[in-house]
Amino acid sequence: MALPRDEGFGTDIAPPEHGSKDEVPACVPGQTKTATARVLTREELDKLTGDRVLVSDFKQMKLEKEAQKNWDLFYKRNTTNFFKDRHWTTREFEELKACREQNPLYRPERCSAFQCDLTKDDLRENVPEGSVDVVTLIFVLSAIHPDKMRLALENISRVLKPGGVVLFRDYGLFDHAMLRFKAGNKLGENFYVRQDGTRSYFFSKELLAELFEAAGLRSAANDYVLRETVNKKEGLCVPRVFLQSKFTKPDQSQSS
């Protein structure tokens, strides 16, 4: 339903040999799924708890009004160079493998691609109600204002068929990108604005489950994904935290 996006950071890089001028801290390759959030260092905790000043209400309203324009400018400036396709979606979500097979009834002339605002445009104007098997919601919900997230999920739920699944991946609580924000960029709890005006929310698994359940969807999997990546420019090994989840729409017999 929404264009999949990647996390926009380089793949794991092996540390150079000892003595190299480009030497950076060693990172642990691969990723780990866990039910608990990442544990912060004392320095990180002090930074987050000390950042209490929020962006003014006037600027927040301006950011909401200009949200589409800011994302349009972002993609015009970066095209596909920032969120790159790293071919990990079928590895992480087995449900997508079946979707790659061409349905014998598929007709290209009947395939309709469209753009919409999930928070206000009714998907049923383009997609029949209760007709969708799989929805990918990958690095999408974090860009939506928290007050409108439930509206977006209810919109998706209406076109999802009973037994259908939403495949979710997005920024998790205490991700390195969250810790990098400086004072003056905080919009609300776990909600920040970048210099270009685009915004990002960082999810806890508990809040995410509440949002989906309020939209009538049930959790089938909901875990933090922890990994480490190298920022060679800054010579840092940084902790990345994502939330990877699956939510299903109950059959009528299950919901009764």
Side-chain angles (χ1 to χ4, degrees):
M1 303 311 305
L3 199 61
R5 293 164 35 194
D6 203 305
E7 50 261 44
F9 284 82
T11 54
D12 295 332
I13 303 172
E17 295 182 4
H18 181 70
S20 167
K21 67 178 181 179
D22 294 326
E23 185 171 352
V24 295
C27 278
V28 178
Q31 63 184 26
T32 302
K33 291 185 180 179
T34 175
T36 57
R38 173 177 167 258
V39 178
L40 295 176
T41 65
R42 170 55 61 181
E43 182 181 359
E44 291 170 336
L45 182 61
D46 290 344
K47 181 180 184 299
L48 287 180
T49 56
D51 188 8
R52 298 174 180 173
V53 179
L54 302 182
V55 172
S56 68
D57 291 342
F58 173 79
K59 185 174 181 180
Q60 293 218 34
M61 288 188 292
K62 187 173 185 290
L63 288 169
E64 178 65 19
K65 183 179 180 180
E66 298 177 352
Q68 179 176 333
K69 182 188 76 172
N70 290 333
W71 277 112
D72 287 344
L73 289 173
F74 173 90
Y75 281 109
K76 182 179 180 180
R77 182 169 58 251
N78 295 284
T79 61
T80 60
N81 294 322
F82 192 81
F83 296 112
K84 296 180 180 179
D85 184 359
R86 300 222 167 79
H87 310 289
W88 55 267
T89 50
T90 51
R91 181 193 70 216
E92 297 294 332
F93 299 115
E94 294 182 357
E95 292 85 350
L96 292 178
K97 293 180 180 179
C99 298
R100 294 173 71 95
E101 299 297 329
Q102 285 279 359
N103 190 300
L105 299 179
Y106 172 75
R107 296 290 182 271
E109 63 274 11
R110 299 184 63 185
C111 181
S112 174
F114 64 94
Q115 177 180 324
C116 76
D117 183 337
L118 283 175
T119 66
K120 63 182 180 181
D121 299 333
D122 194 333
L123 287 175
R124 293 173 295 183
E125 295 178 0
N126 293 280
V127 181
E129 184 169 355
S131 65
V132 178
D133 294 291
V134 179
V135 172
T136 60
L137 201 61
I138 300 176
F139 293 93
V140 173
L141 200 61
S142 59
I144 295 175
H145 193 286
D147 292 346
K148 297 183 177 181
M149 289 179 182
R150 180 173 174 176
L151 294 174
L153 295 179
E154 289 174 344
N155 200 1
I156 291 171
S157 181
R158 284 191 287 267
V159 299
L160 196 65
K161 66 170 56 174
V165 62
V166 177
L167 307 178
F168 176 94
R169 179 153 166 149
D170 218 319
Y171 297 108
L173 193 63
F174 307 145
D175 177 54
H176 180 69
M178 176 180 177
L179 301 175
R180 285 185 56 141
F181 282 106
K182 298 179 181 179
N185 292 86
K186 191 171 184 179
L187 302 171
E189 185 176 6
N190 306 329
F191 191 37
Y192 296 84
V193 60
R194 304 181 182 91
Q195 289 185 343
D196 61 6
T198 60
R199 299 168 298 176
S200 185
Y201 188 87
F202 297 84
F203 292 94
S204 69
K205 59 178 293 184
E206 293 80 11
L207 175 67
L208 188 70
E210 290 177 6
L211 286 169
F212 274 88
E213 288 169 5
L217 303 173
R218 294 181 179 176
S219 174
N222 190 20
D223 296 297
Y224 293 103
V225 174
L226 308 181
R227 63 182 301 180
E228 293 182 335
T229 59
V230 169
N231 184 325
K232 293 193 69 175
K233 182 178 180 181
E234 299 183 13
L236 296 174
C237 178
V238 298
R240 303 310 314 271
V241 182
F242 307 109
L243 203 54
Q244 186 164 305
S245 315
K246 299 178 185 179
F247 294 91
T248 60
K249 185 172 184 177
D251 293 326
Q252 292 182 351
S253 58
Q254 294 177 323
S255 58
S256 58

